[in-house]
Amino acid sequence: MISSFRDPFEDLFAIQRALDAYRASDWLGGRTAGTGSFPPINVFQQGHDFMAIIELAGINKKDLDIQAKENTIRISGKKAITYPEGASMHRRERVSGVFDRTLSVPIQINPDGIKAEYRDGILALHIPRAESEKPKTVKIT
Amino acid sequence: MAQQELQVQQKREVEKKQESTAPARTYLPTTDIFETQQALTVVMEMPGVDNQNVQVTVENDILSVNGRIDFSKYEGLQPVYTEYNVGHYARSFQLSSKIDQGKITADLKDGVITLTLPKAEEAKPRKITVG
């Protein structure tokens, strides 16, 4: 006897909700040549500014190129993996290759103020909001 | 030759027999293992783990690697758009060939840990000449 019944539609609706959220999000959009989906990006808000935290393990800093223009940030580069000659592979899960991705930010940002830091396989981009976007206090006279 | 364009690899969560008391998730690091005549090399990707928070143990021929994420770095950050989950890393392997356990070395760089497990002398291949 089945003691608990799991609604099969629940999973489908969850997928639909996830897809809708993905499409409705302003954080993606191919506005430059970079259209790839790698590397994965998480974006956080920190006060007025934004912080993009990107998982990108095992990259040589020299092979990483970050360009910022208006409200798009392009992250491109290559990931190389070398194996010693004559090694016999037991397991091969890591992948190497090139990537080119564009992050479109739905707000006005200050492209000159973007700071990038690469440490422990994490690329952190500090994205400051443009001065014109910051809320202004209105004084009552 | 044109290089392959990288695709996102979905993280696989560790399937444990017991639940952990802390709610944090644990993922399997993507791993390469290769063998040369001298050593077995295990390379794991654990982005976000620094060398203070990684633990490598060998017990009963089982190699275990644990990498912990410092979640305090995420304090004060409000997620607005997310594509990946953040969690600790853990993976263990049963070692087949005889390893010189005292000589295992680990090197963590840019979120990639490279473990070199030198083979014990008796396990190295010997060339036998026919007299």
Side-chain angles (χ1 to χ4, degrees):
Chain A
M1 201 185 105
I2 300 165
S3 57
S4 70
F5 178 73
R6 193 177 144 75
D7 184 1
F9 288 102
E10 193 50 46
D11 289 335
L12 273 176
F13 291 140
I15 291 170
Q16 188 161 25
R17 276 196 298 273
L19 275 173
D20 285 346
Y22 183 76
R23 287 212 327 237
S25 172
D26 290 329
W27 288 94
L28 280 177
R31 286 182 216 165
T32 69
T35 55
S37 61
F38 183 93
I41 299 175
N42 280 354
V43 185
F44 297 90
Q45 189 164 2
Q46 188 181 35
H48 287 309
D49 301 336
F50 288 92
M51 188 85 155
I53 299 182
I54 300 151
E55 272 194 352
L56 206 51
I59 306 273
N60 195 328
K61 264 186 214 173
K62 289 200 299 278
D63 295 335
L64 195 56
D65 184 39
I66 302 160
Q67 293 169 11
K69 193 187 164 196
E70 288 164 12
N71 66 336
T72 58
I73 302 161
R74 182 176 176 179
I75 302 152
S76 61
K78 70 169 196 275
K79 177 172 172 174
I81 298 176
T82 51
Y83 301 104
E85 211 160 298
S88 69
M89 297 302 298
H90 289 213
R91 203 175 264 270
R92 193 171 184 170
E93 295 170 359
R94 301 173 66 212
V95 288
S96 60
V98 293
F99 55 90
D100 191 343
R101 177 158 195 195
T102 299
L103 176 71
S104 289
V105 187
I107 52 151
Q108 287 300 311
I109 57 165
N110 173 13
D112 298 322
I114 295 174
K115 282 196 277 286
E117 187 190 8
Y118 183 64
R119 186 186 291 167
D120 298 325
I122 297 275
L123 174 68
L125 296 178
H126 180 254
I127 307 166
R129 198 185 272 258
E131 277 304 321
S132 60
E133 275 264 332
K134 284 187 183 161
K136 294 197 173 56
T137 315
V138 179
K139 273 192 192 141
I140 303 163
T141 49
Chain B
M1 196 183 82
Q3 263 186 307
Q4 190 201 342
E5 192 175 335
L6 279 167
Q7 299 295 322
V8 177
Q9 286 178 296
Q10 290 306 318
K11 285 187 182 178
R12 285 193 293 153
E13 213 166 330
V14 173
E15 287 170 29
K16 278 195 213 141
K17 289 187 199 92
Q18 292 89 26
E19 279 186 84
S20 63
T21 52
R25 288 170 189 239
T26 305
Y27 294 98
L28 287 170
T30 53
T31 306
D32 279 352
I33 303 178
F34 53 85
E35 188 179 342
T36 57
Q37 292 212 335
Q38 289 80 35
L40 187 73
T41 306
V42 178
V43 186
M44 287 181 179
E45 288 189 357
M46 301 196 288
V49 176
D50 61 31
N51 51 15
Q52 305 292 312
N53 292 309
V54 69
Q55 194 181 28
V56 182
T57 54
V58 182
E59 209 178 324
N60 301 330
D61 286 343
I62 293 180
L63 169 77
S64 304
V65 181
N66 263 286
R68 298 191 69 77
I69 296 282
D70 181 8
F71 282 105
S72 67
K73 286 175 185 163
Y74 286 90
E75 262 169 38
L77 297 179
Q78 201 67 35
V80 289
Y81 172 74
T82 57
E83 287 182 348
Y84 65 89
N85 282 317
V86 181
H88 306 302
Y89 294 96
R91 199 157 181 178
S92 47
F93 289 102
Q94 171 93 49
L95 299 173
S96 52
S97 52
K98 287 283 166 217
I99 299 297
D100 193 339
Q101 300 200 358
K103 287 185 184 160
I104 296 172
T105 57
D107 175 47
L108 182 65
K109 188 176 178 285
D110 296 334
V112 178
I113 187 166
T114 305
L115 303 168
T116 309
L117 300 92
K119 290 183 192 170
E121 277 306 318
E122 65 267 29
K124 282 184 189 165
R126 272 183 299 265
K127 194 168 179 148
I128 296 156
T129 48
V130 182

